[in-house]
Amino acid sequence: MEKVHTTERLTRLRELMKKNKVDIYSMTSYLQKTAINQNTSHPLTHGEVVALPILLLSRSLLLAFISGFSGSAGTAVITEEKASLATDGRYFNQAEKQLDDNWSLLKQGLQDVLTWQECRTAEQSEGGKTVGVDPTVITAPEARKLTEKIKKKGGADLKAIKENLVDDVWGKDKPARPSEKVQVLSTDYAGKKFQEKIDDLRKELEKKKCVGFVISMLDEIAWLFNLRGSDIPFNPVFFSYAVVTPKDATIYVNKGQLTKEASTHLGEAVTIKPYEEIFADIEALSSSSTTNHESESNSSKPKFLISTKASWALSQSLGGEERVEEARSPVGDSKAVKNETEMQGMRNCHIRDGAALIEYFAWLEEQLVVKKATVDEVAAADKLEKIRSKLDKFVGLSFPTISSTGPNAAVIHYMPERGNCSVIDPAAVYLCDSGAQFLDGTTDTTRTLHFGEPTELERKAYTLVLKGNIALELAKFPKGTSGYALDTLARQYLWTQGLDYRHGTGHGVGSYLNVHEGPIGIGTRIQYSEVSLSVGNVLSDEPGYYEDGNFGIRIENVVMVRETETEHRFGDKPFLGFEHVTLVPMCRKLIDESLLEERERNWLNAYHEEVREKTKGFFKGDERSVKWLERETQPY
């Protein structure tokens, strides 16, 4: 990870700050909002993490461009004299390596460290300073909260600057926004017609007495209309907005992106308009709605529904707080509950994907141990992609493969760089976090392996992480339980040893969509307490442990929420549990069997038998993979 020299960029940015009469300028990584939104017109979130190379696109690289930090979650705060970058524990190590001397790092979540909001307000508390932001990359709730903080600290105001200043610094060298073809996703994979999904959405609008819903999250638009694109690497979405009212449905997209099949698919049910017309159109739509209800008080006039993740700019175009109702997106909620077709697709694609990983690990072990070959992290990731690419229904990767050896495995979201990465050391821990997009689902699997003799600490840490992974999967819980409530199950064995990890335990997974999707998740973030888990949710189960400069361990299975049988039924509530779909063996060399309880051994033996039975048919004529599979799945 090389540092980017940012002196000239910051100098130019500060010149533009003076020109626009702002004392502080701040920007957030566009990957930091759940699901994917586009460029500076869509704030991006990341339930846990969305693939870093999204930053290589168009305006989504802005934070990386100005700071040199390429992580998916971060906020930059620039004043006349200082530049700070705030990020969470997943990226401390990475940020320290990538930021140059112009930047200070705010380690969010640590005791006595200012949040980025506090940093902003603290910097401008004296003298009535003005904070500038691009309103298209901050949500309306964030803008309100920040304005309140600024004024409370004696600042002047939060100023919306129409043109993104970092965009202007980048200038003509900035890559153009992608405009790839948009394809239809057959109901054979989607499981439900888009017209039925829109009907469901209209019923929600009627319940909320809203005159329309403006959709800005790219994965929600793709899911709602059964369309998929490739504007964002690793995520099958396309740059667009959508507006649904009781009578009309409109997609704002570059019409040239739609294949003939896609245009026919949408037919007369959906109006297609140019992408750039969204703000003018919703402003006119809001004005028209207001005119039709002039005699009513502001409180009784019908409102437009927008997601709490929608940009401040969208809210302003609709008329601000008086004209909008902010809520968790009903489309996002529906998307997170997979139908039976989608769940079967997830089962099927994980069998194929598991077979690819087994073939890969068998190959890698032979290269490193038998042939004593030199294989670097990128070459290994390339081999895995080549194996996956031969699978049925394969579309592409779901994020860049994290192929990390030794101390690199301690960098939670490490990205090996071609020509500047480590050679895989067979005497060290190897962590591989990878996934793929298939027409019938999305995969995300992490396995930690050792090709030599692991240390006692490595075996102990691995086994504690494995115990947490199993404990979470075996959990049974009443309907209405949130991922926030379940998080400690995965950490409990690490905690008994005074150990922990600085990332969430699980994120939602899309169905041939974003590998990280909201609103569900398992972790300590308070937002995970706001949404209970439901039958049909698909999540990751991925506890870990990391020692900076030494090794890192993570075990990740994808699981689905299902109703489960219990002896009793307290409060007449259904009880739920998890069904795993990931099928890749755990590493025998790293398991300390003396730390396993009987039910954990039983689970491990049953799991390995299932892995063996469901994947062995892929290895006809592949003696290497068969031997590796049989060895790794032997019962305990």
Side-chain angles (χ1 to χ4, degrees):
M1 297 181 185
E2 296 182 355
K3 294 182 186 293
V4 175
H5 299 293
T6 62
T7 302
E8 289 185 11
R9 298 173 185 182
L10 287 171
T11 298
R12 174 60 180 146
L13 176 59
R14 288 174 172 131
E15 291 172 355
L16 292 173
M17 287 166 59
K18 288 181 181 179
K19 183 179 177 180
N20 285 272
K21 298 180 181 179
V22 296
D23 304 289
I24 302 164
Y25 190 71
S26 184
M27 58 179 298
T28 299
S29 166
Y30 305 117
L31 305 181
Q32 208 176 296
K33 309 292 176 194
T34 326
I36 304 269
N37 272 310
Q38 64 249 6
N39 65 39
T40 53
S41 297
H42 289 55
L44 291 169
T45 56
H46 195 74
E48 276 304 309
V49 147
V50 178
L52 294 181
I54 297 171
L55 289 169
L56 299 175
L57 291 170
S58 186
R59 301 177 182 182
S60 298
L61 183 57
L62 297 180
L63 183 64
F65 173 79
I66 198 64
S67 69
F69 171 68
S70 63
S72 67
T75 298
V77 182
I78 299 99
T79 69
E80 294 177 6
E81 297 178 348
K82 299 178 181 178
S84 302
L85 182 125
T87 191
D88 60 50
R90 295 170 293 164
Y91 296 106
F92 291 167
N93 196 323
Q94 179 178 340
E96 286 172 344
K97 291 180 179 181
Q98 290 184 320
L99 297 176
D100 69 9
D101 293 339
N102 289 300
W103 293 84
S104 60
L105 175 62
L106 298 176
K107 295 184 176 182
Q108 302 295 271
L110 297 189
Q111 196 170 4
D112 300 325
V113 175
L114 292 176
T115 64
W116 62 266
Q117 295 95 336
E118 291 167 336
C119 180
R120 279 180 177 173
T121 54
E123 289 284 359
Q124 52 75 52
S125 59
E126 296 180 2
K129 294 179 181 177
T130 298
V131 178
V133 295
D134 177 350
T136 63
V137 295
I138 184 172
T139 67
E142 287 172 340
R144 285 195 300 274
K145 186 184 294 187
L146 191 54
T147 298
E148 183 180 336
K149 284 179 177 286
I150 289 169
K151 292 187 175 180
K152 187 175 181 180
K153 292 289 185 177
D157 204 356
L158 178 67
K159 183 177 181 180
I161 302 175
K162 188 175 181 180
E163 297 297 326
N164 189 288
L165 300 188
V166 178
D167 235 350
D168 291 344
V169 173
W170 202 346
K172 59 181 173 52
D173 293 330
K174 176 187 65 187
R177 187 179 73 231
S179 187
E180 302 298 327
K181 289 297 182 182
V182 176
Q183 310 283 345
V184 176
L185 181 67
S186 167
T187 51
D188 291 343
Y189 303 120
K192 192 173 186 178
K193 294 180 179 180
F194 82 85
Q195 294 92 337
E196 295 173 3
K197 295 179 182 180
I198 291 176
D199 285 344
D200 291 342
L201 175 57
R202 285 175 172 147
K203 290 173 185 175
E204 288 297 315
L205 292 177
E206 186 177 357
K207 286 180 187 177
K208 294 180 177 293
K209 298 181 180 179
C210 289
V211 293
F213 182 36
V214 180
I215 312 170
S216 57
M217 307 299 273
L218 298 189
D219 64 335
E220 293 182 10
I221 296 169
W223 176 86
L224 182 63
F225 295 97
N226 287 350
L227 296 171
R228 296 296 187 267
S230 55
D231 283 349
I232 307 288
F234 313 106
N235 299 271
V237 296
F238 52 97
F239 291 115
S240 56
Y241 289 92
V243 178
V244 175
T245 69
K247 293 183 178 179
D248 301 305
T250 304
I251 294 182
Y252 293 83
V253 64
N254 175 357
K255 195 170 184 178
Q257 289 185 251
L258 298 175
T259 61
K260 184 177 180 181
E261 182 190 15
S263 295
T264 302
H265 164 76
L266 296 173
E268 296 182 358
V270 182
T271 301
I272 309 300
K273 287 196 171 185
Y275 176 83
E276 294 76 15
E277 292 184 8
I278 178 64
F279 288 100
D281 270 17
I282 62 173
E283 185 174 348
L285 193 60
S286 180
S287 297
S288 173
S289 175
T290 301
T291 301
N292 293 337
H293 296 83
E294 282 184 346
S295 61
E296 301 176 17
S297 64
N298 285 335
S299 61
S300 61
K301 286 179 180 178
K303 295 184 177 183
F304 283 86
L305 182 66
I306 61 172
S307 164
T308 50
K309 303 299 183 182
S311 72
W312 189 21
L314 279 177
S315 177
Q316 288 177 316
S317 295
L318 286 166
E321 292 180 53
E322 293 183 350
R323 297 290 294 121
V324 302
E325 178 178 335
E326 296 166 3
R328 197 174 66 243
S329 170
V331 177
D333 285 356
S334 296
K335 175 171 56 64
V337 178
K338 275 57 178 178
N339 58 48
E340 287 297 333
T341 299
E342 291 172 317
M343 286 191 286
Q344 188 57 48
M346 292 298 273
R347 295 185 187 99
N348 295 341
C349 72
H350 276 85
I351 294 172
R352 298 192 301 273
D353 199 61
L357 282 163
I358 291 166
E359 181 181 343
Y360 166 65
F361 291 140
W363 170 85
L364 184 59
E365 180 179 275
E366 181 183 69
Q367 293 297 308
L368 298 176
V369 178
V370 179
K371 296 185 176 180
K372 310 293 183 184
T374 298
V375 183
D376 70 28
E377 294 164 326
V378 170
D382 288 345
K383 176 65 175 181
L384 175 55
E385 182 175 4
K386 184 177 180 180
I387 293 171
R388 274 194 170 113
S389 68
K390 298 175 183 177
L391 297 174
D392 184 35
K393 298 180 177 62
F394 175 83
V395 179
L397 301 185
S398 55
F399 58 97
T401 297
I402 298 173
S403 171
S404 51
T405 182
N408 293 339
V411 182
I412 296 171
H413 288 122
Y414 174 73
M415 275 229 359
E417 299 174 6
R418 193 174 302 278
N420 188 33
C421 65
S422 299
V423 169
I424 297 175
D425 181 359
V429 161
Y430 175 69
L431 187 153
C432 180
D433 187 346
S434 67
Q437 297 286 5
F438 298 92
L439 291 174
D440 54 350
T442 300
T443 67
D444 183 0
T445 303
T446 305
R447 287 295 182 265
T448 305
L449 296 91
H450 204 295
F451 301 104
E453 292 300 322
T455 66
E456 183 179 344
L457 175 59
E458 289 167 344
R459 294 180 73 236
K460 181 178 181 179
Y462 181 93
T463 308
L464 294 174
V465 170
L466 175 61
K467 286 166 70 71
N469 179 280
I470 295 171
L472 181 57
E473 181 178 318
L474 291 178
K476 294 186 178 183
F477 47 93
K479 183 179 179 180
T481 302
S482 70
Y484 182 85
L486 297 177
D487 180 72
T488 57
L489 296 176
R491 299 179 192 266
Q492 59 180 311
Y493 300 103
L494 288 166
W495 283 359
T496 62
Q497 304 296 313
L499 305 175
D500 203 354
Y501 49 93
R502 291 194 181 106
H503 59 73
T505 296
H507 57 82
V509 180
S511 179
Y512 181 29
L513 267 177
N514 299 344
V515 72
H516 289 237
E517 74 169 16
I520 53 168
I522 300 171
T524 58
R525 294 182 180 183
I526 194 65
Q527 62 260 40
Y528 292 148
S529 67
E530 298 170 357
V531 187
S532 59
L533 299 182
S534 301
V535 171
N537 287 158
V538 180
L539 307 100
S540 66
D541 170 5
E542 52 178 313
Y545 175 68
Y546 312 88
E547 282 209 353
D548 287 350
N550 193 2
F551 67 90
I553 288 165
R554 186 163 62 254
I555 300 171
E556 178 183 21
N557 278 359
V558 170
V559 296
M560 303 193 297
V561 180
R562 306 293 287 167
E563 192 164 336
T564 187
E565 292 296 324
T566 52
E567 182 178 355
H568 303 286
R569 194 179 175 98
F570 182 80
D572 202 30
K573 274 188 175 183
F575 272 67
L576 309 179
F578 295 114
E579 171 195 343
H580 61 253
V581 292
T582 303
L583 294 170
V584 182
M586 304 299 176
C587 181
R588 294 187 71 86
K589 279 190 176 183
L590 283 167
I591 295 175
D592 183 345
E593 191 179 350
S594 68
L595 297 178
L596 296 178
E597 299 173 8
E598 183 179 359
R599 78 165 191 159
E600 293 164 341
R601 283 193 196 89
N602 291 340
W603 180 92
L604 200 55
N605 287 336
Y607 178 74
H608 279 159
E609 182 180 2
E610 182 185 4
V611 171
R612 186 171 59 251
E613 291 305 309
K614 288 186 176 179
T615 62
K616 64 182 182 181
F618 288 84
F619 307 125
K620 293 176 182 178
D622 182 358
E623 186 179 350
R624 177 180 61 207
S625 296
V626 170
K627 285 184 176 179
W628 189 91
L629 175 63
E630 289 178 346
R631 186 193 73 207
E632 292 298 306
T633 58
Q634 286 297 304
Y636 286 91

